[in-house]
Amino acid sequence: MSTTPSSRVTSTTAGQRALVLGGGGSTGNAWLIGVIAGLLDAGLDVTGADLVIGTSAGSTAAAQVTSAAPPQLLSDILSAAPQPRTAPVGPDGGRVRTGPAADHLARISTIIASAEDAADMRRKMGKAAVDLDAASDGSWQPRWRATVASRLPSQRWPERPMLITAVDADTGEPVVFDRDRGVDLADAVAASCSSRLPYRIGEDRYIDGGYRRNENADLAAGHARVLVLSPLGGRTLHPLDWGMHLAAQVDELRARGSRVETIVPDSSSEHLFGASAMDPTLRPPAARAGFHQGRVLAEQLTEFWLSSPARP
C-alpha cells in the first residue's frame, strides 16, 4: 500500500472548510486515520481545514491529524504489534479496565429508553457515570490520561481552530473545549472519550462528547464546506425525533447554507465497527478499509473541498 502522495492540495481560504470526525471506538479511530491518509495519497489534503471538530475517538484523530502526517499515523497503525483481546480498550486503541463493552452498551440502551429527551438522557448518563465512579478507587483516571497522551503526537493544541466535545457529568450540559479554554489537550481528548466513567478536570467532571451527538457536525455551522467522517455510519441508538442522528445534523447545516459531504464505512467494512469497535486486533483492517475509501473518493470530493464560494 502506497502512503506517499504524488501531489497534495491544501485549502487556504479562512473560514471556508470544516472537517468533522465522529466517534466510533478503537476501530473508528483507525478508520478515520485511514480515510484521511487515503484522500491525501490520492492528492486531496483535508488536514488544512479551517476548523476541525473531534468527538470521542474522533477527538483523538483530530489531535493526531493536526500535529502529525497522516501517512505516518497510518503506518503506525499498520505496523503496531498485535494486541490480544485480554481487556477492553479505549476509543483511541489504549487499554482501560472499565468493564465489558456489551454490558456498557446495554447500560446505555437502558438509560436511553428511560429518558424523556436528549437533555434528560445526558443528565442520566452523567449520573450513572458519577455513581460508577463513586464505587471505583479512582486509579483509572491517571492510567487513562497516560494512555490518551501517549497517542497524541503533540501535547499542544494546534494553531488552527479545533473543537473537542464533551458533556458535563454533573449537569448534563454539552461542553466544547478549544485552545482558549485553558484545558490541556490530553485532558480534553480524555474527557471526550470517557463514555463510562467521568473524567475530572479541576473541579468538573465530564463524559463522552458523543452523548451530545456522535458527530457534532452542527458545530460547523457558518462554514461553506463541511466534510463529515462518521465511523458509525451516521446511525444512532436514540429515537429519531431527538434529532441526534447525522442526517438531522446535515439538514441543519444545509438549511444554514453549508454544502455538506459525508463519508461512512462501506458495506464491506461495516462489521469492523459497532459491537467490534473496541477490538484492537481490528484496527489494521479498519485503517486499510478507510485508506481504500479515501483513495476512491478523493477525486469526487476535490471540487467540493477546493471551490471557494462566499460564506453562507
Side-chain angles (χ1 to χ4, degrees):
M1 177 186 299
S2 170
T3 58
T4 302
S6 57
S7 62
R8 300 186 181 187
V9 183
T10 308
S11 62
T12 57
T13 305
Q16 290 292 331
R17 300 166 186 84
L19 176 64
V20 179
L21 306 178
S26 179
T27 59
N29 170 267
W31 178 83
L32 291 167
I33 297 299
V35 171
I36 294 170
L39 290 170
L40 181 59
D41 191 75
L44 181 61
D45 185 358
V46 298
T47 64
D50 305 298
L51 172 68
V52 179
I53 297 169
T55 295
S56 196
S59 70
T60 307
Q64 290 170 325
V65 301
T66 54
S67 59
Q72 183 59 55
L73 295 169
L74 176 63
S75 177
D76 290 344
I77 294 171
L78 299 181
S79 63
Q83 299 183 56
R85 292 190 65 184
T86 56
V89 297
D92 63 353
R95 297 181 185 283
V96 288
R97 301 183 182 278
T98 56
D103 291 348
H104 182 45
L105 182 60
R107 187 180 299 111
I108 290 174
S109 298
T110 298
I111 292 174
I112 291 172
S114 71
E116 297 179 358
D117 53 28
D120 186 42
M121 178 273 298
R122 286 190 286 268
R123 288 190 292 270
K124 289 182 175 181
M125 288 292 183
K127 183 179 185 305
V130 169
D131 289 346
L132 281 173
D133 193 34
S136 76
D137 62 7
S139 63
W140 70 274
Q141 172 147 336
R143 293 199 308 269
W144 178 233
R145 190 190 192 282
T147 295
V148 170
S150 71
R151 294 285 176 172
L152 305 184
S154 172
Q155 303 299 307
R156 298 174 62 86
W157 286 85
E159 291 300 321
R160 74 176 64 95
M162 182 171 73
L163 305 180
I164 301 298
T165 64
V167 170
D168 188 302
D170 295 297
T171 67
E173 291 297 315
V175 176
V176 178
F177 297 110
D178 63 17
R179 62 177 293 110
D180 297 323
R181 194 177 175 98
V183 171
D184 287 348
L185 178 59
D187 286 320
V189 173
S192 186
C193 296
S194 292
S195 62
R196 186 171 182 266
L197 294 170
Y199 186 84
R200 184 180 293 276
I201 302 176
E203 298 300 316
D204 299 313
R205 296 178 290 190
Y206 302 95
I207 54 175
D208 200 297
Y211 292 134
R212 179 187 182 273
R213 278 174 156 176
N214 187 61
E215 299 82 14
N216 292 298
D218 56 296
L219 295 177
H223 286 72
R225 299 286 187 268
V226 183
L227 178 61
V228 186
L229 277 58
S230 176
L232 295 182
R235 297 183 299 274
T236 181
L237 296 173
H238 308 95
L240 293 183
D241 60 6
W242 287 7
M244 301 278 279
H245 53 300
L246 178 57
Q249 301 170 53
V250 171
D251 287 345
E252 292 172 22
L253 287 168
R254 288 174 175 162
R256 298 186 62 174
S258 297
R259 281 185 62 188
V260 185
E261 293 288 348
T262 63
I263 303 178
V264 301
D266 59 26
S267 58
S268 67
S269 60
E270 287 179 338
H271 66 285
L272 300 172
F273 309 97
S276 301
M278 292 304 180
D279 183 349
T281 66
L282 296 180
R283 282 176 59 78
R288 292 189 189 98
F291 182 85
H292 174 72
Q293 279 192 265
R295 282 193 54 82
V296 169
L297 294 171
E299 182 176 358
Q300 71 185 66
L301 288 172
T302 296
E303 184 279 330
F304 160 77
W305 190 251
L306 295 181
S307 59
S308 301
R311 295 186 59 168

